[in-house]
């Protein structure tokens, strides 16, 4: 067994490999933020006693999916080969998956925003209706987005290093961080209603970015996360201002 695994860990004595591992772990954690926000918003619609279990199942499924994809890495790499050309762009299976995932995310975020703005109109609340029926529906929707984010994550890992062991370690570490952060993030979103709209705006932006990427218009991830970070900073200042106003004796309605 040791003789079988030894060739996969020759990189342990290579300092550049450790740098690649650290970089990839950070990158995988950052890429996992999108998925984590979606899981937090979706599972918060479940009954309280089911929320934590749904998050663990969703994130656990993401780990299994990414490990399976790594095991079939030769197939994943070929997903970037064009299968047809339209509008001057060669579309690959990865492009089609990103477009489908982006459309799903835009639809989901739009429905959630509609329900947040007009919660009385239950005719349009397809998301709420599905989730209240069964936890399985929530897990199914998490899996759909897990697939999109997992493929993008693995392709990113392949572009960073050739060492399969580094990819496995980075993916397992990133998903473990997601698992630890899921419950605190969900509680934070639930306790701060204004954060929900901000998070839905993030999901809408991420969905459009996935569609643009699938159509051949690459948007640097740095711009996306810079915009998210700036928005989060502004909202943090707003929350601080509301707390200070509340401390002066004024009544603040959190809703």
């Amino acid at each position: 067994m040791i003789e079988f695994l030894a060739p996969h860990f020759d990189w342990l004595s290579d300092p550049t490999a450790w740098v690649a591992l650290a970089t990839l772990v950070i990158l995988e954690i950052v890429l996992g933020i999108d998925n984590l926000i979606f899981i937090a918003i979706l599972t918060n619609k479940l009954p309280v006693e089911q929320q934590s279990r749904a998050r663990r199942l969703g994130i656990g499924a993401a780990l299994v999916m990414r490990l399976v994809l790594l095991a079939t890495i030769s197939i994943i790499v070929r997903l970037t080969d064009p299968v047809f050309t339209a509008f001057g762009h060669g579309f690959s299976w990865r492009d089609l998956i990103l477009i489908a995932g982006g459309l799903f995310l835009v639809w989901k975020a739009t429905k959630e925003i509609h329900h947040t703005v007009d919660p009385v109109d239950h005719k349009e609340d397809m998301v709420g209706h599905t989730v209240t029926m069964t936890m399985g529906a929530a897990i199914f929707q998490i899996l759909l987005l897990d697939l999109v984010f997992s493929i993008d994550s693995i392709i990113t890992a392949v572009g960073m290093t050739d060492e399969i062991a580094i990819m496995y370690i980075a993916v397992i570490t990133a998903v473990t961080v997601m698992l630890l952060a899921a419950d605190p993030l969900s509680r934070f979103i639930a306790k701060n209603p204004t954060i929900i709209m901000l998070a839905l705006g993030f999901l809408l932006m991420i969905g459009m970015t996935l569609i643009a990427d699938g159509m051949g218009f690459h948007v640097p991830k740095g711009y996306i996360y810079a915009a998210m970070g700036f928005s989060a900073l502004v909202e943090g200042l707003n929350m601080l201002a509301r707390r200070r106003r509340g401390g002066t004796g004024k009544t603040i309605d959190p809703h």
Side-chain angles (χ1 to χ4, degrees), residues 2 6 15 29 32 34 39 41 49 57 78 80 106 118 120 124 131 149 153-154 162 168 177 186 197 205 213 244 252:
I2 296 177
I29 291 173
D34 312 343
I39 291 174
I41 291 177
E49 65 274 9
L57 288 173
R78 286 201 297 271
T80 58
V106 168
D118 188 13
V120 178
E124 296 291 334
V131 172
F149 289 126
S153 171
I154 298 307
D162 295 326
Y168 272 105
V177 171
S186 297
M197 188 62 72
M205 179 172 63
D213 199 353
R244 289 190 173 180
I252 304 296

Side-chain angles (χ1 to χ4, degrees), residues 46-165:
L46 290 168
V48 176
E49 65 274 9
Q50 295 182 357
Q51 291 178 6
S52 183
R53 181 165 171 255
R55 289 182 206 115
R56 288 196 297 270
L57 288 173
I59 295 173
L63 175 59
V64 172
M65 195 174 298
R66 294 182 190 195
L67 294 180
V68 170
L69 290 174
L70 277 173
T72 58
I73 199 164
S74 59
I75 298 174
I76 299 302
V77 170
R78 286 201 297 271
L79 289 178
T80 58
D81 296 336
V83 291
F84 69 90
T85 302
F87 308 108
H89 174 63
F91 288 87
S92 64
W93 282 111
R94 172 184 176 271
D95 294 333
L96 297 178
I97 291 171
L98 289 180
I99 292 172
L103 289 171
F104 174 73
L105 206 52
V106 168
W107 173 81
K108 173 69 73 176
T110 302
K111 287 290 183 182
E112 285 292 322
I113 289 173
H114 174 81
H115 177 59
T116 302
V117 173
D118 188 13
V120 178
D121 184 6
H122 294 289
K123 291 185 295 184
E124 296 291 334
D125 187 19
M126 294 177 65
V127 174
H129 176 63
T130 301
V131 172
T132 52
M133 284 177 59
T134 172
M135 186 175 72
I139 299 298
F140 176 72
Q141 292 177 65
I142 290 172
L143 288 176
L144 286 179
L145 261 295
D146 277 347
L147 177 62
V148 176
F149 289 126
S150 293
I151 288 177
D152 208 28
S153 171
I154 298 307
I155 289 176
T156 299
V158 171
M160 286 286 298
T161 180
D162 295 326
E163 294 289 347
I164 191 69

Side-chain angles (χ1 to χ4, degrees), residues 153-210:
S153 171
I154 298 307
I155 289 176
T156 299
V158 171
M160 286 286 298
T161 180
D162 295 326
E163 294 289 347
I164 191 69
I166 290 179
M167 297 180 201
Y168 272 105
I169 293 172
V171 166
I172 292 171
T173 302
V175 175
T176 301
V177 171
M178 286 174 59
L179 190 60
L180 294 174
D183 284 348
L185 177 63
S186 297
R187 286 194 296 269
F188 179 73
I189 289 176
K191 290 178 181 177
N192 299 275
T194 56
I195 293 291
I196 296 176
M197 188 62 72
L198 182 63
L200 289 172
F202 289 163
L203 292 181
L204 202 57
M205 179 172 63
I206 292 163
M208 292 303 298
T209 303
L210 291 175

